[in-house]
Amino acid sequence: MDELYVLIIVCVISAILLAVSFWLNSKVPTLIWNESIKPYDGAIFNFGTSNLIGFTMIRGVRVHPIGAYSGYEFFVFLNMPIIPVGCYLYTDLGTERVSYKQERTTYKIYGEIRWNIWEVLSIYLGRYSVIALFISVLGIICNIFF
């Protein structure tokens, strides 16, 4: 029965963290685009993962007036962000499956932009709290019925 209480506490904490992540995402777009962009002249870049390990772009919440998004290049392991590598202004050009376990996404990168710690924090909180919430709810269900 003690395991059930621990799982309920984890479930509540992860739900609170997910709510904080949504709150952070609602506050970040109020920032004004007055920052400089180190231009890349719309260069085309490919990021890809192989067996869920590699580099990928995770979209932030800031939107530029030209229709591009802020995004962070992350090193991912099992499709979970581990280390942020760069922050770019980009548009997504599409994803293609290269092989059975490998896919590649093409991005048009307009330039590097300044990092926003609240965006990175909301990416981490959002991704990891959803996983913790799913595992704890699954544990509660298994503990009650089995």
Side-chain angles (χ1 to χ4, degrees), residues 3-4 6-12 14-15 78 80 127-143:
E3 302 92 25
L4 182 62
V6 171
L7 289 172
I8 290 173
I9 290 171
V10 169
C11 184
V12 168
S14 58
L78 298 178
M80 295 303 293
R127 294 284 174 112
Y128 289 109
S129 62
V130 166
I131 296 296
L133 185 63
F134 175 73
I135 291 172
S136 60
V137 167
L138 190 65
I140 290 170
I141 291 170
C142 289
N143 203 341

Side-chain angles (χ1 to χ4, degrees), residues 20-33 35 57-64 68-74 81 84 86-90 112-128:
V20 168
S21 171
F22 286 134
W23 178 78
L24 283 174
N25 280 340
S26 71
K27 294 298 178 190
V28 172
T30 60
L31 299 172
I32 299 171
W33 277 93
E35 58 192 65
M57 249 339 189
I58 297 178
R59 181 176 159 184
V61 294
R62 294 179 288 168
V63 179
H64 194 272
Y69 301 102
S70 63
Y72 293 87
E73 178 186 2
F74 273 90
C87 182
Y88 305 103
L89 183 66
Y90 78 100
E112 288 185 39
I113 56 175
R114 193 173 41 135
W115 289 56
N116 187 324
I117 190 66
W118 298 113
E119 259 185 332
V120 175
L121 186 63
S122 70
I123 288 170
Y124 278 124
L125 282 177
R127 294 284 174 112
Y128 289 109

Side-chain angles (χ1 to χ4, degrees), residues 54-119:
F55 292 93
T56 190
M57 249 339 189
I58 297 178
R59 181 176 159 184
V61 294
R62 294 179 288 168
V63 179
H64 194 272
I66 65 171
Y69 301 102
S70 63
Y72 293 87
E73 178 186 2
F74 273 90
F75 173 73
V76 294
F77 180 74
L78 298 178
N79 261 358
M80 295 303 293
I82 304 295
I83 300 171
V85 179
C87 182
Y88 305 103
L89 183 66
Y90 78 100
T91 55
D92 189 356
L93 297 179
T95 301
E96 64 177 332
R97 186 163 295 280
V98 177
S99 67
Y100 171 67
K101 294 183 180 180
Q102 186 177 10
E103 63 181 31
R104 180 175 53 221
T105 305
T106 305
Y107 301 98
K108 184 174 185 179
I109 297 181
Y110 297 101
E112 288 185 39
I113 56 175
R114 193 173 41 135
W115 289 56
N116 187 324
I117 190 66
W118 298 113
E119 259 185 332

